[in-house]
């Protein structure tokens, strides 16, 4: 609020106070005139007095309305009996004030004889102060209320004027505690960003050789891989102002607002250069223009156009570095990805076993781990976990240990936390019939036996028939190595394992099978179809891909699925998928028939203990094999 606006508000409040006080002290709608005692007695004798109010040394006489009406009106203004705008209805009521002589004892008798109502009042001390107080206090209250309302209106107007201002938060280096020491498991990606930091600190080393640092760095990776963490670490290491904003903060329903916010953001950045701008989830504003059902989005496209101009337009800003993060680079506009804007794209992948161990060491610094906890072993047990998953895993283990009043976090706490993170909490309260438990035991035992007997399958870590989430039982397994390739033999072995639960149920219950294997069947069918139609792993169908993957029309893409093969080819594809499923189903059945004793022993142990780990599983197999040798 500026000075002129404040003066206007105070003047308005002052006018209101003057008007309110004038009304407060105007008094009642009456007219009082002083008459002599003789005139008063004559009026009493004539019967024109209705009542009197006697106080010390004086009285106030109120005449009867019928007799005094005309006379009282004339007392207002002799020249204008009704006054300006006055009428007989709203004219003030006349009163007479009379001084009473001392020692007049006949007055009361005279008033009583004429039926005049007598009221005796005692003067109250401080009545003027109380009158003034009762008049001023409401006025002050109303004045404060008006000031509050006017200031609220002023603030609302100011917010409306700031509607096009940037919502970016500027963080200084002293407020950012993260550094590259807090980033683990992504060494190569970190080295790329260390060069950016070095340029901000020692720019002359690069400029004297004619080198230009990338204006924009795009961090690409799955959720939880550490993109935002890396950006915070860069800000902490660089020691320059750091502007933080989300892509969704630019987009509004009004066209032009986003573009205004982009301009304001870069104007602020130019005042603090050298500096950095981090745009999280840039796909919210950087999607392809003019794509999708119904054309483009005017507001988002104008915002993107302004962002393109600011990053690489006529006005070059060499000391402003833009870092952005997204997990959907496929939908970003090509103009945004070209050199000069986002010159460098850094793919942040899921950490390998060594990276997971380093990340666990970072997040375990403030955790009190037990002596039985081995982070190297733990890293092998959680393939596919991102940095965020590992942080959450250790936090869940700490919560579980605290819930049990433990002195430290044990490996058992971590094991339970892994199950909780992957499959949800245990539902021991779920009431299951004996048949449900038995079916679930044989189903999970079928998976475990197939995993153990096939060389290309993963290693069994744990088998449980305790309900978790929507599953009545689960079999946990981990890869034997951190191989990045999925070979044909591994995929076929995985299909066989997925069918193991249904095969085990068929061996025990015949054709009275249940719906418990529905998810396994869906996954096996999808895997076989991808092998045939997408990965060229079918000898009959050849080294070709058939059809194009679906694209989401509302994600910045046009209509996707294109059927580039005939109906005859579709028929052959279906036949080949069915052949793979049937062959692997027969293989799973043959394995379980040959190892029926292991299947039964494992199922009975699950019914008894509800959960079996890898060591106990190996012991059961060795016991059955020993029994075979003795038979």
């Amino acid at each position: 609020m500026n000075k002129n606006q404040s003066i206007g508000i105070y003047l308005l409040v002052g006018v209101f106070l003057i008007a309110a006080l004038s009304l407060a002290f105007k008094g009642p709608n009456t007219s009082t005139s002083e008459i002599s005692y003789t005139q008063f007695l004559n009026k009493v004798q004539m019967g024109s007095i209705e009542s009197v109010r006697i106080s010390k040394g004086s009285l106030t006489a109120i005449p009867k309305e019928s007799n005094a009406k005309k006379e009282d009106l004339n007392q207002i203004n002799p020249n204008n009996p009704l006054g300006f705008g006055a009428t007989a209805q709203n004219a003030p009521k006349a009163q007479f004030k009379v001084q009473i002589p001392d020692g007049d004892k006949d007055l009361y008798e005279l008033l009583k004889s004429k039926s005049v109502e007598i009221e005796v009042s005692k003067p109250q001390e401080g009545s003027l102060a109380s009158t003034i107080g009762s008049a001023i206090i409401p006025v002050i209250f109303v004045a404060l209320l008006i000031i509050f309302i006017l200031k609220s209106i002023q603030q609302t107007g100011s917010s409306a004027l700031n509607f096009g201002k940037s919502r970016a938060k500027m963080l200084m280096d002293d407020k950012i505690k993260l550094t590259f020491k807090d980033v683990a498991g992504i060494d190569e990606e970190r080295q790329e960003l260390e060069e950016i930091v070095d340029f901000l600190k020692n720019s002359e080393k690069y400029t004297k050789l004619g080198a230009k640092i990338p204006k924009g760095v795009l961090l690409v990776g799955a959720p939880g891989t550490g993109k935002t963490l890396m950006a915070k670490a860069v800000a902490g290491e660089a020691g320059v102002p750091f502007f933080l904003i989300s892509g969704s903060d630019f987009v509004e329903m009004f066209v032009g607002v986003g573009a205004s916010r982009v301009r304001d953001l870069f104007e602020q950045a130019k005042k603090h250069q050298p500096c950095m701008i981090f745009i999280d989830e840039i796909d919210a504003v950087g999607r392809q223009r003019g794509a999708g059902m119904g054309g483009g989005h005017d507001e988002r496209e104008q915002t993107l156009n302004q962002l393109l101009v600011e990053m690489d337009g006529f006005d070059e800003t060499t000391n402003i570095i833009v870092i952005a993060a997204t997990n959907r680079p496929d939908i970003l506009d090509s103009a945004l990805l070209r050199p000069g804007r986002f010159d460098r794209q850094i793919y942040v992948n899921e950490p390998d076993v060594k990276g997971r161990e380093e990340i666990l060491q970072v997040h375990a610094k403030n955790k009190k781990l037990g002596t039985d906890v081995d982070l190297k072993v733990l890293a092998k047990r959680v393939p596919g976990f991102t940095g965020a998953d590992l942080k959450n895993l250790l936090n869940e283990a700490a919560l579980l240990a605290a819930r049990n009043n433990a002195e430290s976090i044990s490996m058992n706490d971590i094991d339970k936390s892994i199950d909780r993170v992957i499959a949800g909490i245990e539902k021991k309260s779920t009431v299951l019939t004996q048949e449900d438990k038995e079916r679930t035991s044989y189903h999970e035992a079928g998976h475990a036996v197939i995993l153990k007997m096939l060389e290309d399958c993963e290693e069994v870590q744990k088998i449980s028939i305790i309900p978790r989430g929507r599953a009545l039982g689960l079999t946990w397994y981990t890869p034997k190595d951190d191989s990045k390739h999925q070979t044909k033999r591994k995929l076929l072995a995985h299909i066989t394992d997925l069918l193991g639960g249904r095969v085990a149920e068929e061996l025990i219950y015949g054709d009275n099978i249940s719906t418990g294997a529905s998810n396994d069947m869906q996954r096996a069918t999808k895997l076989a179809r991808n092998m045939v139609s997408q990965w060229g792993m079918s000898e009959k169908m050849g080294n070709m891909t058939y059809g194009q993957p679906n694209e989401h029309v509302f994600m910045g893409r046009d209509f996707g699925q294109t059927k580039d093969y005939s109906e005859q080819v579709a028929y052959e594809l279906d036949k080949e998928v069915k052949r793979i499923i049937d062959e692997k189903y027969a293989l799973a059945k043959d394995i379980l028939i040959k190892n029926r004793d292991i299947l039964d022993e494992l199922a009975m142990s699950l019914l008894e203990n509800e959960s079996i780990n890898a060591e106990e599983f190996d012991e059961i197999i060795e016991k059955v094999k020993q029994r075979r040798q003795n038979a």
Side-chain angles (χ1 to χ4, degrees):
M1 184 183 297
N2 57 37
K3 185 176 180 180
N4 293 332
Q5 292 173 334
S6 300
I7 293 174
I9 290 177
Y10 292 139
L11 286 176
L12 182 61
V13 173
V15 172
F16 172 79
L17 285 173
I18 294 173
L21 289 173
S22 64
L23 291 175
F25 289 103
K26 184 178 180 181
N29 192 24
T30 58
S31 175
T32 303
S33 59
E34 189 170 350
I35 61 175
S36 64
Y37 186 62
T38 302
Q39 291 176 326
F40 168 68
L41 293 178
N42 292 334
K43 290 181 179 294
V44 173
Q45 291 290 347
M46 295 171 57
S48 60
I49 301 301
E50 179 180 355
S51 62
V52 295
R53 184 169 58 253
I54 301 176
S55 61
K56 185 177 180 180
S58 65
L59 63 81
T60 301
I62 300 175
K64 294 181 179 179
E65 186 176 358
S66 58
N67 296 331
K69 185 175 182 181
K70 183 175 180 180
E71 178 183 358
D72 297 337
L73 289 173
N74 289 336
Q75 288 181 357
I76 300 174
N77 188 344
N79 297 323
N80 181 12
L82 295 180
F84 181 75
T87 62
Q89 287 77 16
N90 63 9
K93 187 175 181 180
Q95 293 182 358
F96 304 117
K97 188 172 182 180
V98 182
Q99 297 295 327
I100 305 174
D102 296 334
D104 189 351
K105 300 180 181 180
D106 298 329
L107 177 61
Y108 289 95
E109 296 297 330
L110 176 62
L111 294 174
K112 289 180 181 180
S113 64
K114 297 299 182 178
S115 301
V116 177
E117 184 178 351
I118 303 173
E119 178 183 353
V120 179
S121 62
K122 182 180 178 181
Q124 298 181 356
E125 296 181 0
S127 59
L128 179 60
S130 62
T131 302
I132 294 175
S134 62
I136 290 179
I137 290 175
V139 173
I140 294 176
F141 175 77
V142 174
L144 293 176
L145 181 61
I146 291 176
I147 292 174
F148 174 76
I149 294 174
L150 290 175
K151 285 188 175 182
S152 299
I153 295 174
Q154 181 65 28
Q155 291 175 358
T156 304
S158 178
S159 300
L161 293 176
N162 293 330
F163 194 61
K165 297 294 184 180
S166 171
R167 297 181 180 180
K169 298 178 181 178
M170 187 178 73
L171 304 177
M172 302 303 292
D173 57 336
D174 58 340
K175 295 184 179 179
I176 304 173
K177 307 299 181 183
L178 290 175
T179 62
F180 285 137
K181 295 180 180 179
D182 302 303
V183 180
I186 42 179
D187 297 336
E188 292 78 10
E189 295 85 349
R190 185 178 62 188
Q191 292 173 4
E192 290 284 328
L193 292 175
E194 285 177 349
E195 186 181 30
I196 305 292
V197 174
D198 189 44
F199 173 81
L200 291 172
K201 292 183 176 180
N202 307 300
S203 59
E204 294 181 359
K205 181 174 70 173
Y206 297 90
T207 56
K208 70 180 182 180
L209 298 176
K212 292 184 178 181
I213 202 68
K215 290 185 178 180
V217 179
L218 182 64
L219 302 177
V220 181
T225 50
K227 301 184 295 296
T228 304
L229 180 67
M230 289 180 63
K232 291 180 180 179
V234 170
E237 291 280 353
V240 297
F242 184 78
F243 291 87
L244 174 64
I245 193 170
S246 172
S248 61
D249 288 333
F250 291 115
V251 182
E252 290 285 351
M253 64 180 295
F254 303 107
V255 176
V257 174
S260 175
R261 290 177 178 175
V262 171
R263 287 191 295 270
D264 184 68
L265 171 62
F266 278 85
E267 286 176 3
Q268 293 182 38
K270 290 173 185 177
K271 296 177 182 178
H272 298 86
Q273 57 180 326
C275 66
M276 300 181 64
I277 297 175
F278 177 60
I279 306 176
D280 201 5
E281 303 296 341
I282 194 173
D283 50 274
V285 68
R287 296 178 185 176
Q288 289 190 5
R289 291 168 289 182
M293 182 182 295
H297 186 287
D298 288 340
E299 162 61 6
R300 188 176 65 238
E301 290 187 4
Q302 286 197 18
T303 306
L304 175 58
N305 292 337
Q306 187 64 42
L307 181 62
L308 297 175
V309 171
E310 294 290 347
M311 290 189 68
D312 187 22
F314 288 100
D315 183 15
E316 294 188 359
T317 53
T318 56
N319 290 328
I320 298 177
I321 298 176
V322 180
I323 300 179
T326 181
N327 53 17
R328 291 297 309 274
D330 55 309
I331 65 173
L332 294 181
D333 195 276
S334 57
L336 191 64
L337 301 176
R338 73 160 177 82
R341 291 183 177 122
F342 284 111
D343 308 87
R344 187 173 297 181
Q345 297 184 26
I346 301 177
Y347 288 85
V348 186
N349 298 317
E350 296 175 352
D352 56 12
V353 61
K354 182 182 177 182
R356 292 195 295 270
E357 183 181 354
E358 294 175 354
I359 294 172
L360 286 170
Q361 290 174 354
V362 170
H363 294 307
K365 289 180 180 179
N366 60 345
K367 303 288 191 304
K368 189 175 181 181
L369 301 180
T371 55
D372 61 333
V373 177
D374 189 342
L375 296 181
K376 188 173 184 179
V377 174
L378 177 57
K380 294 180 180 179
R381 291 195 53 187
V382 286
F385 272 43
T386 63
D389 294 330
L390 296 172
K391 180 181 179 181
N392 183 45
L393 172 62
L394 291 181
N395 184 62
E396 288 289 345
L399 293 174
L400 181 59
R403 195 178 302 126
N404 297 329
N405 298 319
E407 295 293 331
S408 60
I409 302 172
S410 65
M411 198 65 182
N412 184 47
D413 296 327
I414 296 178
D415 288 339
K416 292 182 178 180
S417 299
I418 293 174
D419 300 343
R420 184 187 183 98
V421 170
I422 294 176
I425 61 174
E426 293 182 352
K427 295 184 178 180
K428 292 186 176 181
S429 60
T430 303
V431 179
L432 298 176
T433 64
Q434 186 63 25
E435 182 184 352
D436 287 334
K437 292 181 179 179
E438 187 176 295
R439 282 182 181 271
T440 305
S441 298
Y442 274 103
H443 181 99
E444 300 304 330
H447 288 306
V449 172
I450 297 295
L451 287 169
K452 188 68 176 180
M453 299 306 166
L454 287 180
E455 182 180 355
D456 295 303
C457 282
E458 290 82 356
E459 293 180 346
V460 176
Q461 287 293 329
K462 185 178 180 181
I463 314 165
S464 173
I465 61 169
I466 300 174
R468 290 179 179 272
R470 300 178 62 182
L472 297 180
L474 290 169
T475 300
W476 280 268
Y477 51 83
T478 56
K480 295 178 181 178
D481 52 42
D482 256 1
S483 175
K484 301 300 182 182
H485 290 92
Q486 288 291 337
T487 64
K488 181 178 180 180
R489 290 178 59 182
K490 286 184 178 180
L491 293 172
L492 292 174
H494 188 42
I495 292 175
T496 308
D497 163 52
L498 289 171
L499 299 172
R502 168 57 65 84
V503 173
E505 193 175 353
E506 182 183 346
L507 289 177
I508 304 303
Y509 300 100
D511 59 355
N512 188 27
I513 55 179
S514 68
T515 60
S518 60
N519 182 255
D520 295 332
M521 303 296 289
Q522 291 173 7
R523 292 163 61 192
T525 304
K526 182 179 180 180
L527 193 56
R529 185 169 295 278
N530 285 337
M531 291 178 63
V532 174
S533 63
Q534 299 298 321
W535 301 330
M537 292 183 176
S538 169
E539 295 179 1
K540 183 177 180 180
M541 302 307 299
N543 299 319
M544 294 179 61
T545 61
Y546 299 90
Q548 299 296 326
N550 287 320
E551 298 287 356
H552 297 284
V553 65
F554 291 107
M555 300 296 273
R557 293 290 190 182
D558 292 318
F559 285 97
Q561 182 68 27
T562 302
K563 187 176 180 180
D564 54 2
Y565 50 87
S566 65
E567 293 298 329
Q568 180 63 29
V569 173
Y571 173 71
E572 296 297 332
L573 286 173
D574 293 339
K575 282 180 60 177
E576 187 65 8
V577 171
K578 187 177 186 303
R579 182 191 65 80
I580 294 176
I581 297 296
D582 290 344
E583 285 184 2
K584 298 306 144 186
Y585 193 91
L587 175 60
K589 192 171 186 178
D590 182 60
I591 293 174
L592 293 183
I593 289 175
K594 291 179 180 179
N595 296 279
R596 175 66 183 269
D597 49 355
I598 298 178
L599 179 67
D600 292 334
E601 186 72 22
L602 183 57
M604 292 303 104
S605 181
L606 283 171
L607 278 173
E608 181 180 354
N609 302 312
E610 292 188 334
S611 182
I612 295 175
N613 58 31
E615 292 77 12
E616 293 169 339
F617 178 46
D618 291 337
E619 290 176 1
I620 291 174
I621 293 178
E622 289 299 324
K623 183 173 67 173
V624 173
K625 287 182 178 180
Q626 188 68 31
R627 189 187 304 158
R628 289 177 182 175
Q629 293 176 0
N630 296 333

